[in-house]
Amino acid sequence: MVGDGITDLEAVQVSGGADLFIGYGGVVARPAVAEQAEWYTCDYSSLVSALSCYKVAVIGSGAWACAATRMIAQNTVGQGETASEFADEVRIWARSQHEAINETGENPVHFPGISLGPNVRAVASVEEAVADADLLVFCMPHQYVQRVCKQLLGKVKPGAKAISLTKGMRVTREGPQLISQMVRRSLGIDCCVLMGANIAEDVGAEQVSEAVIGYSDLESGEVFAKLFERPYFRVSLLPDPMGAELCGTLKNIVALGAGMVDGLDLGPNSKAVIIRQGLKEMRGFAKALFPSAVRDDTFLESCGVGDLVATCIGGRNRRVAEEWTRAALSGSPRSWSDLETDLLKGQKLQGVSTSNEVQEVLAARKWEQRFPLFTTINRIVNGHLPPSSVLDYKEGSRAPLVEEEEPLVLPRRNGGVAHWLQPLAAVAAATGFGNWE
Ligand SMILES: NC(=O)C1=CN([C@@H]2O[C@H](COP(=O)(O)OP(=O)(O)OC[C@H]3O[C@@H](n4cnc5c(N)ncnc54)[C@H](O)[C@@H]3O)[C@@H](O)[C@H]2O)C=CC1
Ligand SMILES: O=C(CO)COP(=O)(O)O
């Protein structure tokens, strides 16, 4: 309800009345109305543009979701009052941490010690988060996105735009499906991607970082670039959304290989072998899936070589794979899920399930030997080869897959029967990684 009289104020009723009263003082200015109205304006054009400014919802509240929310909130704070492009408030869907975020301003579990911003409001329900939002920022571990999309069917504002910060993919009966494709298909809205070398804690500490926004619709890409760009966060637009998203997804597999190299106590030369071959297979896989869409240059951007290097040096996939390798070599193997719980404290490991998903595609298309590093990492992850095989990836990709009970003949360099691989395979098989919710 918009009005200028005291009786107009009374139109707001809990049941059956107006939800909100906007006081208008452009013709007659009444002090009592100005005082009691939830929102008061004397200027019609600022009212119209304030009503039409973009409302933002972030779906997810993990480490990267919190760092992203913080950047967005820095860009939108105070904008609503000056009737600019974005509404001041940023809503974040936080399943279990909403009360803590609203009370303390930070997520004490996933992103402790970093304030998200005074204009951030956390909600417990994803439906409430997206209710009247124009810009939806999807940022959650990839295995949960499909379930959330199903929950949001019919709940998203028509004409809303989305962007996915999630790194991962799904394999359906029809073949691989990127997260942005899933959002686009299930919710019927445009979906860009933001990908880059973006370790959440470093972005939260405002260390200079860069990212690309992969877009199909330039107008959407430009809106999201304005939403994210900060002096410490450099955003460029890239007309190759699929290439960018596949880079972000596949580098998590390569980072597992880099962690294995660290667990084997090898140095930078050996890690460079993994990074170089990994980049080659990332490009090969992306171009094999989408030959006419994926561009070579994409792999030289922050989403490509940038993210690959950052994750192979400082990412969670690298860290967990290092510990997994050390445990395997010590003769007391630990499962991936056990290490995830222990080391990541509620954050999620994406590389193991992504490796299994990508391997499904490689097996279905008989591409295993075209992608020897991906294949070898997958066999190591599942306990069919020892971690030391990671650098012998050409041989590893040729090694026959064996049943868990059978003795395993190692690749030539190591020789002999891997007696310790049997418990390792059992531990790996018990991970449950690759299960979608
Ligand atoms: N953390 C990082 O440095 C970066 C992460 N990414 C990517 O962003 C995506 C999200 O990562 P983070 O925000 O770091 O999340 P995270 O790894 O910190 O995981 C915690 C999140 O998972 C959610 N979650 C846990 N169990 C759930 C369930 N059963 N159903 C629904 N949600 C559940 C939690 O609510 C929370 O939002 C991932 O795809 C990741 O690869 C991308 C760049 C950097
Ligand atoms: O994607 C990331 C950095 O860009 C983070 O990778 P991790 O999940 O391995 O930490």
Side-chain angles (χ1 to χ4, degrees):
M1 167 86 188
V2 182
D4 61 3
I6 295 291
T7 47
D8 297 333
L9 272 168
E10 290 161 6
V12 179
Q13 304 284 332
V14 177
S15 64
D19 296 327
L20 173 79
F21 174 72
I22 300 172
Y24 183 64
V27 180
V28 183
R30 294 190 174 88
V33 174
E35 199 175 298
Q36 290 177 53
E38 284 174 76
W39 195 5
Y40 188 75
T41 181
C42 295
D43 171 9
Y44 181 71
S45 62
S46 72
L47 172 64
V48 169
S49 61
L51 285 175
S52 65
C53 66
Y54 293 117
K55 295 188 180 72
V56 186
V58 179
I59 301 161
S61 59
W64 183 218
C66 287
T69 300
R70 185 170 181 272
M71 288 191 284
I72 294 169
Q74 288 175 343
N75 280 334
T76 64
V77 72
Q79 288 227 359
E81 281 147 29
T82 56
S84 202
E85 199 159 1
F86 302 109
D88 186 272
E89 180 180 276
V90 180
R91 239 172 294 151
I92 178 172
W93 174 49
R95 290 180 326 141
S96 52
Q97 297 302 312
H98 55 281
E99 282 173 0
I101 292 175
N102 290 335
E103 274 163 29
T104 67
E106 62 185 63
N107 184 333
V109 173
H110 299 305
F111 213 49
I114 301 183
S115 172
L116 303 184
N119 49 331
V120 172
R121 184 166 68 87
V123 293
S125 130
V126 68
E127 290 88 345
E128 185 184 346
V130 305
D132 55 352
D134 306 281
L135 302 179
L136 309 181
V137 179
F138 282 84
C139 186
M140 53 197 307
H142 72 284
Q143 61 271 35
Y144 306 128
V145 183
Q146 191 198 15
R147 198 189 53 197
V148 168
C149 283
K150 278 192 189 154
Q151 233 175 305
L152 291 180
L153 265 181
K155 309 270 169 51
V156 167
K157 187 173 174 178
K161 300 172 191 294
I163 190 165
S164 171
L165 278 52
T166 294
K167 293 174 178 172
M169 64 190 259
R170 174 178 175 236
V171 182
T172 67
R173 256 177 300 172
E174 292 80 44
Q177 186 181 48
L178 304 180
I179 299 301
S180 63
Q181 291 177 319
M182 183 192 295
V183 170
R184 203 175 293 128
R185 198 161 303 168
S186 50
L187 301 179
I189 57 178
D190 184 57
C191 187
C192 299
V193 297
L194 183 143
M195 298 283 142
N198 301 146
I199 304 240
E201 288 72 17
D202 295 354
V203 175
E206 303 196 2
Q207 295 180 18
V208 170
S209 308
E210 49 182 19
V212 302
I213 288 184
Y215 66 89
S216 312
D217 174 49
L218 179 59
E219 197 188 315
S220 300
E222 283 172 341
V223 170
F224 282 115
K226 278 190 216 156
L227 188 65
F228 282 97
E229 187 129 72
R230 298 292 305 154
Y232 59 90
F233 196 74
R234 301 170 185 165
V235 176
S236 29
L237 288 166
L238 186 76
D240 179 8
M242 291 196 243
E245 190 169 357
L246 275 165
C247 280
T249 299
L250 298 171
K251 63 85 193 171
N252 283 339
I253 303 176
V254 185
L256 295 176
M260 289 169 192
V261 164
D262 289 337
L264 293 164
D265 283 327
L266 300 170
N269 294 357
S270 301
K271 194 180 275 188
V273 170
I274 299 296
I275 292 177
R276 181 205 54 74
Q277 179 67 19
L279 188 59
K280 194 170 165 183
E281 294 190 20
M282 283 163 57
R283 188 184 64 166
F285 186 79
K287 289 183 81 94
L289 282 189
F290 302 109
S292 54
V294 170
R295 299 173 168 213
D296 279 326
D297 283 359
T298 296
F299 298 85
L300 303 178
E301 296 294 338
S302 176
C303 59
V305 67
D307 197 8
L308 181 62
V309 169
T311 312
C312 287
I313 295 171
R316 300 170 297 185
N317 285 287
R318 186 218 65 79
R319 181 166 164 232
V320 175
E322 176 181 350
E323 292 309 319
W324 183 86
T325 302
R326 290 193 190 286
L329 295 176
S330 76
S332 308
R334 295 182 68 187
S335 72
W336 292 101
S337 59
D338 176 29
L339 284 164
E340 178 188 63
T341 309
D342 199 15
L343 298 178
L344 302 189
K345 314 260 181 266
Q347 294 186 21
K348 294 284 163 187
L349 186 71
Q350 304 278 271
V352 172
S353 48
T354 300
S355 169
N356 288 332
E357 283 136 18
V358 166
Q359 206 60 32
E360 258 189 74
V361 179
L362 299 186
R365 302 193 181 192
K366 305 208 179 333
W367 286 350
E368 282 112 323
Q369 290 191 20
R370 270 177 75 182
F371 298 95
L373 181 65
F374 288 170
T375 299
T376 301
I377 290 173
N378 186 259
R379 287 179 177 177
I380 297 172
V381 158
N382 288 297
H384 299 301
L385 286 174
S388 56
S389 299
V390 72
L391 289 160
D392 291 332
Y393 50 84
K394 288 218 169 98
E395 291 156 32
S397 69
R398 283 189 211 113
L401 264 184
V402 293
E403 295 304 318
E404 277 160 30
E405 277 73 31
E406 286 177 21
L408 182 79
V409 179
L410 289 178
R412 252 183 304 124
R413 200 178 75 159
N414 302 300
V417 171
H419 50 87
W420 53 270
L421 275 180
Q422 289 179 18
L424 184 57
V427 171
T431 58
F433 273 95
N435 294 339
W436 274 70
E437 285 190 24

